[in-house]
Coordinates of all heavy atoms in Angstrom, one line a residue:
M122 N 0.8 -1.2 0.0 CA 0.0 0.0 0.0 C 0.9 1.3 0.0 O 0.6 2.2 -0.7 CB -0.9 0.0 1.2 CG -1.7 1.3 1.4 SD -3.0 1.1 2.6 CE -4.2 1.9 1.7
V123 N 1.9 1.3 0.8 CA 2.8 2.4 0.9 C 3.5 2.6 -0.4 O 3.8 3.7 -0.8 CB 3.7 2.3 2.1 CG1 4.7 3.5 2.1 CG2 2.9 2.3 3.4
R124 N 3.9 1.5 -1.0 CA 4.6 1.6 -2.3 C 3.7 2.3 -3.4 O 4.2 3.1 -4.2 CB 5.0 0.2 -2.8 CG 6.2 -0.3 -2.0 CD 6.7 -1.6 -2.7 NE 7.6 -2.2 -1.7 CZ 7.7 -3.5 -1.5 NH1 6.9 -4.3 -2.2 NH2 8.5 -4.0 -0.7
Q125 N 2.4 1.9 -3.3 CA 1.5 2.5 -4.3 C 1.1 3.9 -4.0 O 0.8 4.7 -4.9 CB 0.2 1.6 -4.4 CG 0.5 0.2 -4.9 CD -0.7 -0.7 -4.6 OE1 -1.6 -0.4 -3.9 NE2 -0.6 -1.9 -5.2
S126 N 1.1 4.2 -2.7 CA 0.6 5.6 -2.2 C 1.6 6.1 -1.2 O 1.3 6.1 0.0 CB -0.8 5.5 -1.7 OG -1.7 5.0 -2.6
P127 N 2.8 6.5 -1.5 CA 3.8 6.9 -0.5 C 3.3 8.1 0.3 O 3.8 8.3 1.5 CB 5.0 7.2 -1.3 CG 4.6 7.2 -2.8 CD 3.3 6.5 -2.9
Q128 N 2.4 8.9 -0.2 CA 1.9 10.0 0.6 C 1.1 9.6 1.8 O 0.9 10.4 2.8 CB 1.1 10.9 -0.3 CG -0.3 10.4 -0.6 CD -0.3 9.5 -1.8 OE1 0.7 9.0 -2.3 NE2 -1.5 9.1 -2.3
L129 N 0.7 8.3 1.9 CA 0.0 7.8 3.1 C 0.9 7.4 4.2 O 0.5 7.3 5.3 CB -0.8 6.6 2.7 CG -2.1 6.8 1.9 CD1 -2.7 5.5 1.6 CD2 -3.1 7.7 2.7
R130 N 2.2 7.3 4.0 CA 3.2 6.8 5.0 C 3.1 7.6 6.3 O 2.9 7.1 7.4 CB 4.6 6.8 4.5 CG 5.5 6.2 5.5 CD 7.0 6.2 5.0 NE 7.8 5.6 5.9 CZ 8.3 4.3 5.8 NH1 8.0 3.6 4.7 NH2 9.0 3.8 6.7
P131 N 3.1 9.0 6.3 CA 3.0 9.7 7.5 C 1.7 9.5 8.2 O 1.7 9.4 9.5 CB 3.1 11.2 7.1 CG 3.7 11.2 5.7 CD 3.4 9.9 5.1
L132 N 0.6 9.4 7.5 CA -0.7 9.1 8.1 C -0.8 7.7 8.7 O -1.3 7.6 9.8 CB -1.8 9.3 7.0 CG -3.2 9.3 7.5 CD1 -3.4 10.4 8.6 CD2 -4.2 9.6 6.4
I133 N -0.2 6.8 8.1 CA -0.1 5.4 8.6 C 0.7 5.4 9.9 O 0.3 4.8 10.9 CB 0.4 4.4 7.6 CG1 -0.6 4.2 6.4 CG2 0.7 3.1 8.2 CD1 0.0 3.5 5.2
E134 N 1.8 6.0 9.9 CA 2.7 6.1 11.1 C 2.0 6.8 12.2 O 2.0 6.3 13.4 CB 4.0 6.8 10.8 CG 4.9 6.0 9.8 CD 6.2 6.7 9.4 OE1 6.3 7.9 9.8 OE2 7.0 6.1 8.7
E135 N 1.3 7.9 11.9 CA 0.6 8.6 13.0 C -0.6 7.7 13.5 O -0.8 7.7 14.8 CB 0.0 9.9 12.3 CG -0.8 10.8 13.3 CD -1.3 12.0 12.6 OE1 -0.6 12.6 11.8 OE2 -2.5 12.3 12.8
T136 N -1.3 7.0 12.7 CA -2.3 6.1 13.1 C -1.8 5.0 14.0 O -2.4 4.7 15.1 CB -3.1 5.5 11.9 OG1 -3.6 6.6 11.1 CG2 -4.2 4.7 12.4
L137 N -0.7 4.4 13.6 CA -0.1 3.4 14.4 C 0.4 3.9 15.8 O 0.2 3.2 16.8 CB 1.1 2.7 13.7 CG 0.7 1.9 12.5 CD1 1.9 1.5 11.7 CD2 -0.1 0.7 12.9
E138 N 0.9 5.1 15.8 CA 1.3 5.7 17.1 C 0.1 5.9 18.0 O 0.2 5.6 19.2 CB 2.1 7.0 16.9 CG 3.5 6.8 16.3 CD 4.2 8.1 15.9 OE1 3.6 9.2 16.2 OE2 5.2 8.0 15.3
Q139 N -1.0 6.4 17.4 CA -2.2 6.6 18.2 C -2.8 5.3 18.7 O -3.3 5.2 19.8 CB -3.2 7.4 17.4 CG -4.5 7.7 18.1 CD -4.2 8.7 19.3 OE1 -3.7 9.8 19.1 NE2 -4.5 8.3 20.5
L140 N -2.7 4.3 17.8 CA -3.2 3.0 18.2 C -2.5 2.4 19.4 O -3.1 1.8 20.3 CB -3.1 2.0 17.0 CG -3.7 0.6 17.1 CD1 -5.2 0.7 17.3 CD2 -3.3 -0.2 15.9
V141 N -1.2 2.6 19.5 CA -0.4 2.1 20.6 C -0.7 3.0 21.9 O -0.9 2.4 23.0 CB 1.1 2.2 20.3 CG1 2.0 2.0 21.6 CG2 1.5 1.2 19.2
E142 N -0.9 4.3 21.7 CA -1.1 5.1 22.8 C -2.5 4.9 23.4 O -2.7 4.8 24.6 CB -1.0 6.6 22.4 CG -1.1 7.6 23.6 CD -0.8 9.0 23.1 OE1 0.1 9.2 22.3 OE2 -1.6 9.9 23.5
D143 N -3.5 4.9 22.5 CA -4.9 4.7 23.0 C -5.7 4.1 21.8 O -6.2 4.8 20.9 CB -5.5 6.0 23.3 CG -7.0 5.9 23.8 OD1 -7.5 4.8 23.8 OD2 -7.6 7.0 24.0
P144 N -5.8 2.7 21.8 CA -6.5 2.0 20.7 C -8.0 2.4 20.5 O -8.6 2.2 19.5 CB -6.4 0.6 21.1 CG -5.8 0.5 22.4 CD -5.4 1.8 22.8
F145 N -8.6 3.1 21.5 CA -10.0 3.5 21.4 C -10.1 5.0 21.3 O -11.2 5.5 21.5 CB -10.8 2.9 22.6 CG -10.8 1.4 22.6 CD1 -9.9 0.7 23.4 CD2 -11.6 0.7 21.7 CE1 -9.9 -0.7 23.4 CE2 -11.5 -0.7 21.7 CZ -10.7 -1.4 22.5
H146 N -9.1 5.7 20.9 CA -9.2 7.2 20.7 C -10.3 7.4 19.6 O -10.3 6.7 18.6 CB -7.9 7.7 20.2 CG -7.8 9.2 20.3 ND1 -8.3 10.0 19.2 CD2 -7.4 10.1 21.2 CE1 -8.2 11.3 19.6 NE2 -7.6 11.3 20.8
P147 N -11.1 8.4 19.8 CA -12.2 8.6 18.8 C -11.8 8.8 17.4 O -12.5 8.4 16.4 CB -12.9 9.9 19.3 CG -12.5 10.0 20.8 CD -11.2 9.3 20.9
T148 N -10.6 9.4 17.1 CA -10.1 9.6 15.8 C -9.9 8.3 15.0 O -9.9 8.3 13.8 CB -8.9 10.5 15.7 OG1 -7.8 9.8 16.5 CG2 -9.1 11.8 16.3
L149 N -9.6 7.2 15.7 CA -9.4 5.9 15.1 C -10.6 5.2 14.7 O -10.6 4.3 13.8 CB -8.6 5.0 16.0 CG -7.2 5.5 16.4 CD1 -6.5 4.6 17.4 CD2 -6.3 5.6 15.2
K150 N -11.7 5.6 15.3 CA -13.0 4.9 15.0 C -12.9 3.3 15.1 O -13.4 2.6 14.3 CB -13.5 5.2 13.6 CG -13.8 6.7 13.4 CD -14.2 7.1 12.0 CE -14.5 8.6 12.0 NZ -14.0 9.2 10.8
T151 N -12.2 2.9 16.2 CA -12.0 1.5 16.4 C -13.3 0.8 16.7 O -14.2 1.3 17.4 CB -11.1 1.4 17.7 OG1 -9.8 2.0 17.4 CG2 -10.8 -0.1 18.0
H152 N -13.4 -0.3 16.0 CA -14.6 -1.1 16.2 C -14.3 -2.6 16.1 O -13.4 -3.0 15.3 CB -15.7 -0.7 15.2 CG -15.3 -0.8 13.8 ND1 -14.5 0.2 13.2 CD2 -15.6 -1.7 12.8 CE1 -14.3 -0.2 11.9 NE2 -14.9 -1.3 11.7
K153 N -15.1 -3.4 16.8 CA -15.0 -4.9 16.7 C -15.7 -5.4 15.5 O -16.8 -5.0 15.2 CB -15.6 -5.4 18.0 CG -15.2 -6.9 18.3 CD -15.6 -7.3 19.7 CE -15.0 -8.6 20.1 NZ -15.3 -9.0 21.4
L154 N -15.1 -6.4 14.9 CA -15.8 -7.0 13.7 C -16.5 -8.2 14.1 O -16.4 -8.8 15.2 CB -14.7 -7.3 12.7 CG -13.8 -6.1 12.2 CD1 -12.8 -6.5 11.3 CD2 -14.7 -5.0 11.6
S155 N -17.4 -8.7 13.2 CA -18.2 -9.9 13.5 C -18.1 -10.9 12.3 O -17.4 -10.6 11.3 CB -19.6 -9.5 13.8 OG -20.2 -8.8 12.7
G156 N -18.9 -11.9 12.4 CA -18.9 -12.9 11.3 C -17.6 -13.6 11.2 O -17.0 -14.0 12.1
E157 N -17.1 -13.7 9.9 CA -15.8 -14.4 9.7 C -14.7 -13.7 10.3 O -13.6 -14.2 10.5 CB -15.6 -14.6 8.2 CG -15.3 -13.3 7.4 CD -15.1 -13.6 6.0 OE1 -13.9 -14.0 5.6 OE2 -16.0 -13.4 5.2
F158 N -14.8 -12.4 10.7 CA -13.8 -11.6 11.4 C -14.0 -11.5 12.9 O -13.4 -10.6 13.5 CB -13.7 -10.2 10.7 CG -13.3 -10.3 9.3 CD1 -14.2 -10.1 8.3 CD2 -12.0 -10.5 8.9 CE1 -13.8 -10.1 6.9 CE2 -11.6 -10.5 7.6 CZ -12.5 -10.3 6.6
A159 N -14.8 -12.3 13.5 CA -15.1 -12.3 14.9 C -13.7 -12.3 15.7 O -12.8 -13.1 15.3 CB -16.0 -13.4 15.3
G160 N -13.6 -11.5 16.7 CA -12.4 -11.4 17.5 C -11.4 -10.5 16.9 O -10.3 -10.2 17.6
I161 N -11.6 -9.9 15.8 CA -10.7 -8.9 15.1 C -11.3 -7.5 15.3 O -12.5 -7.3 15.3 CB -10.5 -9.3 13.7 CG1 -9.8 -10.7 13.6 CG2 -9.6 -8.3 12.9 CD1 -9.6 -11.3 12.2
W162 N -10.4 -6.6 15.4 CA -10.8 -5.2 15.5 C -10.3 -4.4 14.3 O -9.3 -4.9 13.6 CB -10.1 -4.6 16.7 CG -10.7 -5.1 18.0 CD1 -10.3 -6.3 18.6 CD2 -11.6 -4.5 18.9 NE1 -11.0 -6.5 19.7 CE2 -11.8 -5.4 20.0 CE3 -12.3 -3.3 18.9 CZ2 -12.7 -5.1 21.0 CZ3 -13.2 -3.0 19.9 CH2 -13.4 -3.9 20.9
A163 N -10.9 -3.3 14.0 CA -10.5 -2.5 12.9 C -10.4 -1.0 13.3 O -11.2 -0.6 14.2 CB -11.5 -2.6 11.7
C164 N -9.5 -0.2 12.8 CA -9.5 1.2 13.0 C -9.2 1.9 11.6 O -8.7 1.2 10.7 CB -8.4 1.6 14.0 SG -6.7 1.4 13.5
S165 N -9.5 3.1 11.6 CA -9.4 3.9 10.3 C -8.1 4.7 10.3 O -7.7 5.3 11.2 CB -10.5 4.9 10.2 OG -11.8 4.2 10.2
I166 N -7.5 4.6 9.1 CA -6.3 5.4 8.8 C -6.8 6.7 8.2 O -6.4 7.8 8.6 CB -5.4 4.7 7.8 CG1 -4.8 3.5 8.4 CG2 -4.3 5.7 7.3 CD1 -4.0 2.6 7.5
N167 N -7.7 6.6 7.2 CA -8.5 7.7 6.6 C -9.8 7.2 6.2 O -10.2 6.1 6.6 CB -7.7 8.4 5.5 CG -7.4 7.5 4.3 OD1 -8.0 6.4 4.2 ND2 -6.5 7.9 3.5
Y168 N -10.5 7.9 5.3 CA -11.8 7.5 4.9 C -11.9 6.1 4.3 O -12.8 5.3 4.6 CB -12.4 8.5 4.0 CG -13.8 8.2 3.5 CD1 -14.9 8.4 4.3 CD2 -14.0 7.6 2.2 CE1 -16.2 8.0 3.9 CE2 -15.3 7.3 1.8 CZ -16.4 7.5 2.7 OH -17.6 7.2 2.3
S169 N -10.9 5.8 3.5 CA -10.9 4.5 2.8 C -10.0 3.4 3.3 O -10.1 2.3 2.9 CB -10.7 4.7 1.3 OG -9.4 5.2 1.1
C170 N -9.0 3.8 4.1 CA -8.0 2.8 4.6 C -8.2 2.3 6.0 O -8.6 3.1 6.9 CB -6.6 3.4 4.5 SG -6.2 3.8 2.8
R171 N -8.0 1.0 6.2 CA -8.2 0.4 7.5 C -7.0 -0.4 8.0 O -6.2 -0.9 7.2 CB -9.4 -0.5 7.5 CG -10.7 0.1 7.1 CD -11.3 1.0 8.1 NE -12.6 1.5 7.7 CZ -12.8 2.6 7.0 NH1 -11.7 3.3 6.6 NH2 -14.0 3.0 6.7
I172 N -6.9 -0.5 9.3 CA -5.9 -1.5 9.9 C -6.8 -2.5 10.6 O -7.6 -2.1 11.4 CB -5.0 -0.8 10.9 CG1 -4.1 0.2 10.2 CG2 -4.1 -1.8 11.6 CD1 -3.3 1.1 11.1
L173 N -6.5 -3.8 10.4 CA -7.1 -4.9 11.1 C -6.1 -5.4 12.1 O -4.9 -5.6 11.8 CB -7.6 -6.0 10.2 CG -8.6 -5.7 9.1 CD1 -9.0 -7.0 8.4 CD2 -9.8 -4.9 9.6
F174 N -6.6 -5.6 13.4 CA -5.7 -6.1 14.4 C -6.4 -6.9 15.5 O -7.6 -6.9 15.5 CB -5.0 -4.8 15.1 CG -5.9 -3.9 15.8 CD1 -6.1 -4.0 17.2 CD2 -6.6 -2.9 15.1 CE1 -7.0 -3.2 17.8 CE2 -7.4 -2.0 15.8 CZ -7.6 -2.2 17.2
E175 N -5.6 -7.5 16.3 CA -6.1 -8.3 17.4 C -5.4 -7.8 18.7 O -4.2 -7.4 18.6 CB -5.9 -9.8 17.3 CG -6.7 -10.5 16.2 CD -6.3 -11.9 16.1 OE1 -5.2 -12.3 16.0 OE2 -7.3 -12.7 16.2
F176 N -6.1 -7.9 19.8 CA -5.4 -7.8 21.1 C -5.0 -9.2 21.5 O -5.8 -10.1 21.5 CB -6.4 -7.2 22.1 CG -6.8 -5.8 21.9 CD1 -8.0 -5.5 21.4 CD2 -5.9 -4.7 22.1 CE1 -8.4 -4.2 21.2 CE2 -6.3 -3.4 21.9 CZ -7.5 -3.1 21.4
V177 N -3.7 -9.3 21.9 CA -3.2 -10.6 22.3 C -2.4 -10.4 23.6 O -2.0 -9.3 23.9 CB -2.2 -11.2 21.2 CG1 -3.0 -11.5 20.0 CG2 -1.1 -10.3 20.9
A178 N -2.3 -11.5 24.4 CA -1.6 -11.4 25.7 C -0.2 -11.1 25.4 O 0.5 -11.6 24.5 CB -1.8 -12.7 26.4
N179 N 0.3 -10.2 26.2 CA 1.7 -9.8 26.1 C 2.5 -10.5 27.3 O 2.3 -10.1 28.4 CB 1.9 -8.2 26.3 CG 3.3 -7.7 26.1 OD1 4.2 -8.5 26.0 ND2 3.5 -6.4 26.1
P180 N 3.3 -11.5 26.9 CA 4.0 -12.2 28.0 C 5.0 -11.4 28.8 O 5.3 -11.8 29.9 CB 4.7 -13.4 27.2 CG 4.8 -12.9 25.8 CD 3.7 -11.9 25.6
E181 N 5.4 -10.3 28.3 CA 6.4 -9.5 29.0 C 5.7 -8.5 30.0 O 6.4 -7.9 30.8 CB 7.3 -8.7 28.0 CG 8.1 -9.6 27.2 CD 8.9 -8.9 26.1 OE1 9.1 -7.7 26.3 OE2 9.4 -9.6 25.2
A182 N 4.4 -8.2 29.8 CA 3.7 -7.3 30.7 C 2.4 -8.0 31.0 O 1.5 -8.0 30.2 CB 3.5 -6.0 30.0
S183 N 2.3 -8.5 32.2 CA 1.2 -9.3 32.6 C -0.1 -8.6 32.6 O -1.2 -9.2 32.5 CB 1.4 -9.9 34.0 OG 1.6 -8.9 34.9
E184 N -0.1 -7.3 32.7 CA -1.4 -6.5 32.8 C -1.8 -5.9 31.4 O -3.0 -5.5 31.3 CB -1.3 -5.4 33.8 CG -1.1 -5.9 35.2 CD -1.0 -4.8 36.2 OE1 -1.5 -3.7 35.9 OE2 -0.5 -5.1 37.3
E185 N -0.9 -5.8 30.5 CA -1.2 -5.2 29.2 C -1.3 -6.1 28.1 O -0.5 -7.1 28.0 CB -0.2 -4.1 28.9 CG -0.3 -2.8 29.7 CD 0.6 -1.7 29.1 OE1 0.8 -1.6 27.9 OE2 1.1 -1.0 29.9
D186 N -2.2 -5.9 27.2 CA -2.3 -6.7 25.9 C -1.4 -6.1 24.9 O -1.1 -4.9 25.0 CB -3.7 -6.7 25.3 CG -4.7 -7.5 26.1 OD1 -4.2 -8.4 26.9 OD2 -5.9 -7.3 26.0
A187 N -0.9 -6.9 24.0 CA -0.2 -6.4 22.8 C -1.1 -6.3 21.7 O -2.2 -6.9 21.7 CB 1.0 -7.3 22.5
I188 N -0.8 -5.5 20.7 CA -1.6 -5.4 19.5 C -0.9 -6.1 18.3 O 0.3 -5.8 18.0 CB -1.8 -3.9 19.1 CG1 -2.6 -3.2 20.2 CG2 -2.4 -3.7 17.7 CD1 -2.7 -1.7 20.0
L189 N -1.6 -7.1 17.7 CA -1.0 -7.8 16.6 C -1.7 -7.3 15.4 O -2.9 -7.4 15.2 CB -1.4 -9.3 16.8 CG -1.0 -10.2 15.6 CD1 0.5 -10.3 15.4 CD2 -1.5 -11.6 15.9
L190 N -0.9 -6.7 14.5 CA -1.4 -6.1 13.2 C -1.6 -7.3 12.3 O -0.7 -8.1 12.1 CB -0.4 -5.1 12.7 CG -0.1 -3.9 13.5 CD1 1.0 -3.0 12.9 CD2 -1.3 -3.1 13.9
L191 N -2.8 -7.3 11.6 CA -3.1 -8.4 10.7 C -3.1 -7.9 9.3 O -2.7 -8.7 8.4 CB -4.5 -8.9 11.1 CG -4.6 -9.5 12.5 CD1 -6.1 -9.9 12.8 CD2 -3.7 -10.7 12.7
N192 N -3.7 -6.8 9.0 CA -3.8 -6.3 7.6 C -3.9 -4.8 7.6 O -4.4 -4.2 8.6 CB -5.0 -7.0 7.0 CG -4.9 -7.1 5.5 OD1 -4.1 -6.4 4.9 ND2 -5.8 -7.9 4.9
L193 N -3.5 -4.2 6.5 CA -3.6 -2.8 6.3 C -3.9 -2.6 4.8 O -3.3 -3.2 4.0 CB -2.3 -2.2 6.7 CG -2.1 -0.7 6.6 CD1 -1.1 -0.2 7.6 CD2 -1.7 -0.2 5.2
G194 N -4.9 -1.7 4.6 CA -5.3 -1.5 3.2 C -6.6 -0.8 3.0 O -7.2 -0.4 3.9
D195 N -7.0 -0.7 1.7 CA -8.3 -0.2 1.4 C -9.4 -1.0 2.0 O -9.3 -2.2 2.2 CB -8.5 -0.2 -0.1 CG -8.0 1.0 -0.8 OD1 -7.7 2.0 -0.1 OD2 -8.0 1.0 -2.0
H196 N -10.5 -0.3 2.4 CA -11.6 -1.0 3.0 C -12.0 -2.2 2.3 O -12.2 -3.3 2.9 CB -12.8 0.0 3.1 CG -14.0 -0.5 3.7 ND1 -14.9 -1.3 3.0 CD2 -14.5 -0.4 5.0 CE1 -15.9 -1.6 3.8 NE2 -15.7 -1.1 5.0
D197 N -12.2 -2.2 1.0 CA -12.6 -3.3 0.2 C -11.6 -4.5 0.2 O -11.9 -5.6 0.0 CB -13.0 -2.9 -1.2 CG -14.2 -2.0 -1.2 OD1 -15.0 -2.0 -0.3 OD2 -14.4 -1.3 -2.3
D198 N -10.3 -4.1 0.3 CA -9.2 -5.1 0.3 C -9.1 -5.9 1.6 O -8.7 -7.0 1.6 CB -7.9 -4.5 -0.1 CG -7.9 -3.9 -1.5 OD1 -8.7 -4.4 -2.3 OD2 -7.1 -3.0 -1.8
V199 N -9.3 -5.2 2.7 CA -9.1 -5.9 4.0 C -10.3 -6.7 4.5 O -10.1 -7.5 5.4 CB -8.6 -4.9 5.1 CG1 -7.3 -4.3 4.7 CG2 -9.6 -3.8 5.4
Y200 N -11.4 -6.4 4.0 CA -12.6 -7.1 4.5 C -13.0 -8.2 3.5 O -13.0 -8.2 2.4 CB -13.8 -6.2 4.7 CG -13.6 -5.2 5.8 CD1 -13.6 -3.8 5.6 CD2 -13.5 -5.6 7.1 CE1 -13.4 -2.9 6.6 CE2 -13.3 -4.7 8.1 CZ -13.3 -3.3 7.9 OH -13.1 -2.4 8.9

């Protein structure tokens, strides 16, 4: 995706930083998916781009989950 649209790189980096800081920040529009994507979450990079991820146990920090990135791309490509 970044190769095809290098102008998205700063926006993707900013979104990933926000995801780490607060995965439920309103600007991310984080939402839980259902159906074949049950257990997976999505957040918005911009109007048409999404990041799919899961919360997984972080063995190094017993109280915090880690974020496992699964997919990044256009809405129609990731779903």
Side-chain angles (χ1 to χ4, degrees):
M122 172 170 224
V123 174
R124 286 186 193 143
Q125 297 166 349
S126 305
Q128 72 278 9
L129 285 177
R130 185 182 186 103
L132 190 54
I133 292 168
E134 290 175 357
E135 182 180 316
T136 302
L137 290 172
E138 288 172 9
Q139 183 65 58
L140 187 62
V141 169
E142 187 176 316
D143 179 3
F145 297 101
H146 191 278
T148 59
L149 296 175
K150 300 179 180 137
T151 302
H152 56 285
K153 194 172 193 175
L154 303 177
S155 59
E157 68 178 283
F158 295 103
I161 297 175
W162 294 77
C164 70
S165 297
I166 297 170
N167 62 15
Y168 180 76
S169 64
C170 298
R171 303 287 184 272
I172 296 173
L173 300 187
F174 64 95
E175 288 180 307
F176 291 106
V177 295
N179 184 353
E181 295 178 17
S183 60
E184 295 181 20
E185 283 190 37
D186 286 340
I188 295 172
L189 175 63
L190 301 177
L191 301 173
N192 205 345
L193 181 148
D195 270 348
H196 181 276
D197 294 340
D198 293 336
V199 297
Y200 294 116

